[in-house]
Amino acid sequence: MYLGTEYANKRVTVAIVEVESEAPDDDELAAAYRDASNSASSLADEWDDASAEAWDDLER
């Protein structure tokens, strides 16, 4: 950690008051994966319907 030149040749004690992580926590990740899974399932269902409809139109 760089404190600046005003602290050169001086003893400095630093206390860590709080640590913030830029990464999401486990609960946030789990929620994101659930949402993605639900979205993927929904899209797959929509694709199945659209695909079946397209094949029906081609068979006519």
Side-chain angles (χ1 to χ4, degrees):
M1 174 170 35
Y2 178 73
L3 299 176
T5 57
E6 64 269 18
Y7 295 102
N9 298 321
K10 295 182 181 170
R11 182 183 169 149
V12 177
T13 302
V14 177
I16 298 173
V17 176
E18 183 177 355
V19 175
E20 290 186 21
S21 174
E22 293 182 15
D25 65 15
D26 290 345
D27 292 337
E28 290 174 321
L29 284 175
Y33 282 121
R34 274 194 303 277
D35 290 346
S37 177
N38 291 339
S39 294
S41 294
S42 178
L43 285 173
D45 291 342
E46 289 177 27
W47 172 253
D48 285 344
D49 294 342
S51 178
E53 185 179 319
W55 279 111
D56 288 345
D57 288 345
L58 288 173
E59 291 175 352
R60 290 183 192 171

